[in-house]
Amino acid sequence: AHAPDGSLPHPRWMRVNTLTTTPKELLNRAFNNYTETTLADVLSAKPTDCVYYRDTHVPDLLALPPGADVSKTSVYRGGNVILQDKASCFPALLLDPRPEDGRVVDACAAPGNKTTHLAALYASHTSDSTTASDTPDTTASRIVAFERDAGRSKILAKMLKTAKADERVDVRAPADFLAADPGDEEWDDVGAILLDPSCSGSGIVGREDGACVFPRAPADVKGAAKGAPKKGKMGKVAKEERVKEDVGAEEAALKERLTALSAFQLHMVEHAMRFPACRRITYSTCSIHGAENEAVVIRSLISDAGREGRWRVLRREEQVEGMKAWGVRGDRGGWVHEVAEACIRCEAGTAEGTMGFFVCGFVRDLPDWNEQV
Ligand code: SAM
């Protein structure tokens, strides 16, 4: 069923929390009367239809029909599933955190969807390589999560506890990632950073996955429209003039807001690029605007931090299988082909069933572990 604007409905994505269960166990326990089907079938199903789809790009990700309510189920309350849009699973998957990375930082963590995903992926690699029962648990607190906002820090703590990820994550909240000095030896073993900063939120479909937007800039749409003529009795021509002025004011306000947001986002990427042992960064937004996406990537590569640190994009052929296979890539308009191809975009309202989203990986080859460039 298409919406009046032609867009397709949004499925109920849920990521199986492999810190507490496996997809097989979860399906047997809570969805044993459900039938596996295609995403197209799930998208056209009714909320109560017992069908699910198993994703091919993101391991451990399932989709239920649009409007399916799992929020009251014991598997949700018990932290066995995380309600997380497919696109929002891309950053941790692309970062591919492993014990050999040392510590992994989630710079903008609340409410914690990607932090819990990082913890689960990290743990999955550790259990691959851990055979002897007396091997120390290297998963303990190897993820460091920053969150600046006090209220959202509480939500983060709650989510980590519910997902049984609290012992695996060293929470620095409320704390500003920008206040962590990359030159401080405390951060010498940070090998990977997930950076998912506040953005315009223009790609969001529904707010249930906890995506967050930057507080409105002072010159927001309403504020900027203040200068427009006052409402009252108007002739047709005056009305048309007013509509034009309103549209103009909205466009100007949006431009101003995107300029402020992209400056903040660039500052965050540059800061991440200064951590001496960091080899991989993912930068993501739930925005559809190039100013917050490809433009930030390009500007950070040519910034002092990007050039001095010898950062480059994580090329498509270097990405994990699921991400390499994802066909929708960055906007090529004017950008270097390699960068566009490295960037991953998701569009809302399509047959893929995702929200609007953007992610790009940065990488660099350091001569030796812990050696500063
Ligand atoms: N990664 C989260 C998830 O998947 O659940 C969503 C993060 S949301 C898009 C951005 C978050 O970054 C907000 O909670 C915001 O308060 C936080 N933030 C913004 N600037 C920050 C900073 N300088 N240091 C730490 N956190 C920051």
Side-chain angles (χ1 to χ4, degrees):
H2 290 75
D5 66 356
S7 63
L8 282 161
H10 200 67
R12 157 60 60 214
W13 290 107
M14 50 181 201
R15 180 171 59 76
V16 180
N17 179 14
T18 53
L19 292 175
T20 65
T21 186
T22 62
K24 192 173 168 200
E25 192 204 17
L26 179 98
L27 288 165
N28 283 340
R29 197 168 108 205
F31 300 96
N32 61 354
N33 56 337
Y34 277 58
T35 311
E36 183 168 346
T37 186
T38 62
L39 181 57
D41 281 351
V42 165
L43 284 175
S44 58
K46 292 198 288 294
T48 50
D49 286 349
C50 297
V51 287
Y52 74 90
Y53 165 72
R54 193 161 179 168
D55 194 56
T56 54
H57 296 99
V58 181
D60 311 316
L61 184 70
L62 306 172
L64 295 182
D69 184 9
V70 271
S71 63
K72 292 175 192 74
T73 60
S74 62
V75 286
Y76 172 69
R77 293 190 169 178
N80 300 129
V81 294
I82 313 277
L83 301 184
Q84 183 173 4
D85 190 280
K86 172 171 173 172
S88 150
C89 298
F90 286 8
L93 183 64
L94 187 66
L95 193 66
D96 192 23
R98 288 161 185 268
E100 55 269 34
D101 291 327
R103 281 190 300 165
V104 177
V105 166
D106 185 348
C108 296
N113 291 303
K114 298 178 189 74
T115 324
T116 53
H117 196 193
L118 280 177
L121 291 171
Y122 196 103
S124 71
H125 289 304
T126 310
S127 50
D128 285 351
S129 54
T130 305
T131 44
S133 57
D134 57 352
T135 305
D137 180 6
T138 52
T139 60
S141 295
R142 301 305 286 165
I143 315 276
V144 183
F146 284 91
E147 171 52 51
R148 190 179 57 178
D149 183 90
R152 291 174 66 88
S153 296
K154 288 188 189 141
I155 302 171
L156 170 67
K158 196 170 164 217
M159 180 162 197
L160 294 178
K161 194 155 193 269
T162 309
K164 313 270 183 299
D166 48 343
E167 286 189 0
R168 298 170 184 272
V169 181
D170 172 7
V171 181
R172 307 290 177 102
D176 188 342
F177 172 60
L178 293 171
D181 178 2
D184 191 324
E185 65 181 25
E186 179 182 5
W187 307 113
D188 274 357
D189 64 343
V190 170
I193 300 177
L194 186 147
L195 185 60
D196 185 44
S198 311
C199 69
S200 63
S202 51
I204 295 173
V205 183
R207 306 206 45 93
E208 70 287 335
D209 81 331
C212 100
V213 297
F214 201 73
R216 285 217 158 226
D220 68 0
V221 175
K222 271 189 206 147
K226 261 185 200 155
K230 294 223 166 14
K231 280 191 179 146
K233 280 193 180 170
M234 276 190 252
K236 191 168 171 248
V237 176
K239 260 191 201 155
E240 277 170 8
E241 270 313 301
R242 196 194 141 110
V243 169
K244 262 196 225 154
E245 279 177 26
D246 279 358
V247 170
E250 279 180 25
E251 277 172 6
L254 177 65
K255 205 164 161 245
E256 194 176 326
R257 190 159 171 247
L258 291 181
T259 304
L261 279 168
S262 63
F264 156 74
Q265 291 151 347
L266 175 63
H267 190 44
M268 294 287 271
V269 182
E270 287 179 276
H271 189 71
M273 285 177 159
R274 293 203 172 92
F275 282 72
C278 185
R279 289 161 189 258
R280 290 196 314 284
I281 298 169
T282 56
Y283 168 68
S284 52
T285 73
C286 47
S287 164
I288 58 167
H289 300 294
E292 296 179 85
N293 299 333
E294 289 87 350
V296 172
V297 169
I298 295 278
R299 287 166 71 202
S300 55
L301 288 171
I302 60 175
S303 70
D304 287 350
R307 283 182 295 110
E308 285 161 17
R310 292 189 245 146
W311 286 96
R312 60 175 178 81
V313 285
L314 180 71
R315 289 190 288 269
R316 184 170 184 176
E317 62 272 21
E318 300 170 310
Q319 296 172 4
V320 293
E321 288 309 319
M323 294 294 84
K324 207 187 294 177
W326 180 258
V328 190
R329 313 305 293 194
D331 183 354
R332 278 185 179 68
W335 304 121
V336 186
H337 178 81
E338 183 184 86
V339 174
E341 198 56 20
C343 293
I344 293 166
R345 267 186 179 256
C346 298
E347 214 181 305
T350 70
E352 298 287 357
T354 68
M355 67 199 271
F357 202 80
F358 175 87
V359 58
C360 182
F362 295 99
V363 67
R364 65 171 164 176
D365 307 305
L366 290 179
D368 195 15
W369 179 247
N370 274 354
E371 188 177 321
Q372 191 151 0
V373 281

